[in-house]
């Protein structure tokens, strides 16, 4: 973000402290033994995991402040980074809904949550890195227009594929192929996203 905003990151030292706090909280999530039996995904069902989003959210606010004070130069790398943040936000919303309404482990909710956190967000981050580092690695820029088109296709596809898992297919059995009624409609929307 600072490279594309042409401005130094706001509060660089606090940003380093927030990264350290995120690392410590990640360790706390990993070491936590207060997991409910049958929880679909252990890290999303603990208070420590919810606290992990606090330093990350503050980092995102620092990036937004840096972008607001700078002269942002649009780039495919920047929009892919924003896509990773959007997918993490979808994962946060899903984790919070899992804390409020009980979720069983073998449901489509767990499958959709895994897809958002372990597939969608890292894919956006890797593609953003590829667009950013391509000139340094291969000596030439990747096509920016195709990068924007790729971003839009991936964002729409990931949202169509995962949002039904959090909503209409929430309690459906994981890996099920037989749906009826409204579940069939949500399954078709998710299939269109993939």
């Amino acid at each position: 973000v600072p490279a594309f905003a042409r401005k130094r990151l706001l509060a660089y030292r606090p940003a380093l402290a927030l990264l350290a706090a995120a690392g410590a909280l990640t360790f706390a999530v990993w070491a936590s033994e207060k997991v409910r039996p049958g929880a679909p995904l252990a890290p999303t069902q603990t208070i420590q995991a919810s606290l992990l989003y606090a330093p990350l959210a503050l980092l995102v606010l620092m990036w937004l402040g840096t972008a607001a004070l700078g002269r942002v130069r649009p780039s495919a790398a920047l929009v892919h980074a924003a896509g990773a943040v959007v997918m993490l936000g979808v994962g946060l919303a899903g984790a919070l809904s899992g804390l409020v309404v009980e979720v069983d482990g073998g449901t489509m909710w767990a499958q959709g949550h895994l897809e958002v956190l372990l597939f969608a967000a890292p894919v956006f981050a890797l593609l953003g890195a590829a667009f950013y580092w391509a000139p340094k690695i291969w000596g030439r820029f990747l096509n920016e227009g195709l990068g924007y088109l790729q971003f839009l296709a991936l964002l729409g596809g990931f949202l169509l594929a995962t949002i039904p898992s959090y909503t209409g297919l929430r309690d459906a059995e994981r890996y099920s192929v037989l749906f009826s009624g409204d579940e069939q409609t949500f399954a078709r929307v998710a299939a269109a996203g993939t």
Side-chain angles (χ1 to χ4, degrees):
V1 172
F4 292 107
R6 301 176 199 163
K7 176 121 178 100
R8 292 186 60 118
L9 182 65
L10 293 177
Y12 178 75
R13 291 195 187 276
L16 292 178
L18 288 171
L19 285 173
L25 287 170
T26 301
F27 181 74
V29 169
W30 175 75
S32 174
E33 294 184 19
K34 296 179 180 179
V35 178
R36 291 189 339 217
L41 298 169
T44 62
Q45 302 300 314
T46 63
I47 298 299
Q48 294 93 335
S50 299
L51 291 176
L52 175 61
Y53 284 105
L56 297 177
L58 290 173
L59 280 170
V60 169
L61 288 175
M62 283 184 182
W63 295 335
L64 290 174
T66 302
L69 294 175
R71 294 186 333 249
V72 178
R73 179 179 34 143
S75 167
L78 188 61
V79 296
H80 280 88
V85 171
V86 167
M87 287 294 111
L88 289 174
V90 169
L92 172 62
L96 293 176
S97 74
L99 289 172
V100 173
V101 179
E102 190 166 335
V103 180
D104 293 329
T107 61
M108 289 296 289
W109 182 92
Q111 180 66 29
H113 199 62
L114 280 173
E115 289 172 2
V116 165
L117 294 178
L118 301 180
F119 186 68
V123 164
F124 275 117
L126 286 172
L127 289 171
F131 274 93
Y132 183 77
W133 291 103
K136 296 166 180 62
I137 295 172
W138 298 298
R140 54 179 266 197
F141 287 92
L142 298 180
N143 189 317
E144 289 286 316
L146 288 177
Y148 289 119
L149 191 61
Q150 173 188 5
F151 165 76
L152 290 174
L154 283 174
L155 183 66
F158 282 138
L159 290 176
L160 280 177
T162 57
I163 296 297
S165 298
Y166 285 132
T167 56
L169 297 174
R170 181 184 188 96
D171 297 322
E173 187 176 329
R174 194 173 184 181
Y175 304 121
S176 177
V177 293
L178 300 174
F179 299 105
S180 61
D182 288 340
E183 285 183 349
Q184 188 172 19
T185 304
F186 281 103
R188 286 181 179 163
V189 169
T194 56

